[in-house]
Amino acid sequence: MADDIEISFHAAIDAGKINGAVICATDTKGHFVYNKALGTRTLLSGKEVSQRLDDVLYLASGTKLITSIAALQCVEAGLLSLTGDLASVAPDIAAKQVITGFSDNGEDPLLEPATRPITLEMLLTHTSGITYDFTNPHVARWLLKFNPPEKTSRRPVEEAFNYPLGFQPGTSWMYGTGLDWAGKVVERVTGRTLGENVQQSICDPLGITDTQFYPVTREDLRPRLVDLNPQDPDAFGRAVVGGSAEVNRRVQGDYGGQGLFMPAMDYVKVLHSLLANDGKLLKPSTVEEMFQNHLSQEASAGYQAALTSHTGNFFRVGIDLETKTGHGLGGVVTLQDVDGCYGEGTMTWGGGLSLAWFIDRKNDLCGIGAIQPALPDFHGEILDALKQTFRRDIYRKHAAWKEQQQTS
């Protein structure tokens, strides 16, 4: 597959591997702008229409960056501390014990008390011990035995993620539901829903009007929902997460780790604000703090182990193992340059299996690539290749543009 956005993506569309994609990228001053909508999407009626830049996308874990910003705004307002004990505002988090295994008979979980308090910094960097059930087998086993999900019931974060810690707070790293809990913390200290916080404190300053947490009920947004189609009539976002409907089927309330819907052309406005450090969302000093590596030496060992595990490809988000990385307050941060791609200090993450975003302050570039996979078949390797094409080719296009500017 040719490593060019237009050629590669159109080839995948023609082969029926994906339906389309929306890609948005820009520099600080908005002089370099790459906005492209490719392919088609299917309406609930079955009619095919061209993909548009203002189509509303399911962000999945792309939500985590937005929630991180909302939490850091609370720190700036004096409502929260980045490194302080969260017990007073989140006693349900503080009460969590650490699961280390099960008894010899397989019936009783082996639990021990947490040896240090959980902080907001830990929630934002996946070092709190709060994992996903699918990233920790002991947690998965406990959940199945003591808090099994019911297909027909919707539950808030506090109930859905009511299970033990996978490791002692601050001692390791594992991807988890920390941002969902951070969203609840934001709600508790502000007295507003996470959705209200996001709209008033993040979207309004940037002129963003077309965003909503699941379920998307606004009648002006539903016709533009990419994930409202015959294969996903409830707009769960199935295609983004590999065909499953379980992610949103059972949620109640605003999930800060996974629940937001927004057009790519609006998401890039958030990325641009952080790239430009324009003060519209966060103070310049807070943005600087976001892009620092917040992993301790102890937690870094767990992070490196995760990167080399069988699921490490997902955690590396397109960055090779040889490149040193850490974790900032919003995503992975590169600790050195990536040849032909990210500069040192770039923050990046994604959403589900088909969305990628980055903010590269060294090379003055940010972008989001959102692919719309074709169902019922799901082609994970092709999606990985296309996301990598987006990451690499957008830098080539940016470099070609800069060269043209210098010669014109």
Side-chain angles (χ1 to χ4, degrees):
M1 185 176 290
D3 199 15
D4 174 90
I5 289 174
E6 287 83 359
I7 295 174
S8 300
F9 279 68
H10 277 302
I13 291 168
D14 293 342
K17 305 301 184 183
I18 67 171
N19 293 324
V22 180
I23 298 169
C24 298
T26 188
D27 61 6
T28 296
K29 295 183 178 179
H31 292 166
F32 172 79
V33 176
Y34 182 89
N35 290 331
K36 191 75 76 170
L38 306 168
T40 63
R41 66 183 182 92
T42 305
L43 303 180
L44 192 57
S45 65
K47 178 183 177 182
E48 282 195 3
V49 297
S50 295
Q51 189 90 64
R52 293 166 51 99
L53 289 172
D54 65 348
D55 284 341
V56 181
L57 311 171
Y58 176 45
L59 299 180
S61 287
T63 307
K64 289 180 170 67
L65 175 64
I66 307 297
T67 303
S68 296
I69 295 169
L72 292 172
Q73 288 175 336
C74 291
V75 173
E76 290 186 345
L79 300 175
L80 289 171
S81 163
L82 189 61
T83 57
D85 188 349
L86 287 174
S88 61
V89 67
D92 38 4
I93 296 178
K96 288 180 178 291
Q97 294 183 298
V98 181
I99 187 167
T100 59
F102 281 79
S103 60
D104 291 339
N105 63 13
E107 293 297 318
D108 303 315
L110 303 178
L111 299 167
E112 57 185 38
T115 56
R116 68 180 82 172
I118 290 176
T119 67
L120 179 61
E121 181 183 45
M122 292 177 187
L123 294 181
L124 301 186
T125 57
H126 303 292
T127 58
S128 66
I130 301 176
T131 69
Y132 281 111
D133 59 318
F134 59 82
T135 60
N136 186 294
H138 294 323
V139 169
R141 188 173 176 183
W142 187 97
L143 194 63
L144 188 63
K145 185 175 179 63
F146 297 104
N147 189 22
E150 299 178 9
K151 288 188 176 181
T152 57
S153 67
R154 296 187 178 277
R155 300 192 292 180
V157 166
E158 295 93 334
E159 294 180 15
F161 301 139
N162 177 27
Y163 46 71
L165 304 176
F167 54 84
Q168 286 289 347
T171 66
S172 189
W173 184 96
M174 182 47 67
Y175 194 48
T177 61
L179 272 298
D180 296 285
W181 282 103
K184 300 311 294 185
V185 169
V186 168
E187 291 185 338
R188 292 174 187 180
V189 298
T190 62
R192 302 181 297 187
T193 69
L194 183 58
E196 290 169 342
N197 277 282
V198 168
Q199 185 59 55
Q200 295 174 28
S201 300
I202 297 175
C203 294
D204 286 350
L206 300 180
I208 297 172
T209 59
D210 298 343
T211 184
Q212 190 173 18
F213 276 87
Y214 182 86
V216 177
T217 56
R218 281 175 48 184
E219 291 302 320
D220 60 324
L221 298 186
R222 289 181 65 80
R224 291 158 48 201
L225 268 177
V226 173
D227 295 285
L228 182 62
N229 55 61
Q231 292 181 320
D232 196 356
D234 296 299
F236 287 131
R238 292 180 62 237
V240 176
V241 293
S244 171
E246 302 309 309
V247 173
N248 282 318
R249 186 192 298 276
R250 296 190 294 264
V251 304
Q252 178 182 313
D254 301 340
Y255 275 52
Q258 66 185 47
L260 199 59
F261 288 72
M262 178 187 287
M265 62 185 296
D266 285 337
Y267 196 85
V268 81
K269 292 178 182 178
V270 178
L271 304 181
H272 173 265
S273 181
L274 298 178
L275 175 70
N277 204 356
D278 56 18
K280 292 181 180 179
L281 300 181
L282 294 167
K283 297 176 182 177
S285 59
T286 302
V287 174
E288 292 297 329
E289 185 76 4
M290 280 188 78
F291 283 78
Q292 300 303 308
N293 178 25
H294 284 257
L295 299 184
S296 66
Q297 186 174 358
E298 192 175 18
S300 292
Y303 176 62
Q304 292 302 317
L307 295 183
T308 57
S309 70
H310 68 284
T311 54
N313 182 59
F314 177 80
F315 303 139
R316 292 196 297 272
V317 288
I319 303 171
D320 60 65
L321 267 174
E322 288 69 36
T323 301
K324 295 179 181 179
T325 59
H327 210 287
L329 303 177
V332 165
V333 288
T334 58
L335 303 182
Q336 63 184 91
D337 292 343
V338 179
D339 186 39
C341 192
Y342 302 148
E344 180 181 352
T346 295
M347 180 178 288
T348 180
W349 197 247
L353 302 175
S354 59
L355 185 148
W357 62 264
F358 70 91
I359 308 167
D360 183 346
R361 301 193 301 164
K362 183 174 182 179
N363 290 311
D364 190 27
L365 188 64
C366 65
I368 175 175
I371 306 168
Q372 318 310 325
L375 294 178
D377 297 327
F378 193 84
H379 305 276
E381 291 184 0
I382 290 176
L383 291 178
D384 286 344
L386 290 173
K387 285 187 291 184
Q388 203 66 345
T389 294
F390 155 68
R391 295 177 180 115
R392 293 282 179 173
D393 193 40
I394 202 67
Y395 276 82
R396 278 194 291 269
K397 295 182 186 306
H398 185 232
W401 173 83
K402 287 198 295 184
E403 183 176 349
Q404 183 181 38
Q405 297 303 303
Q406 292 170 356
T407 57
S408 60

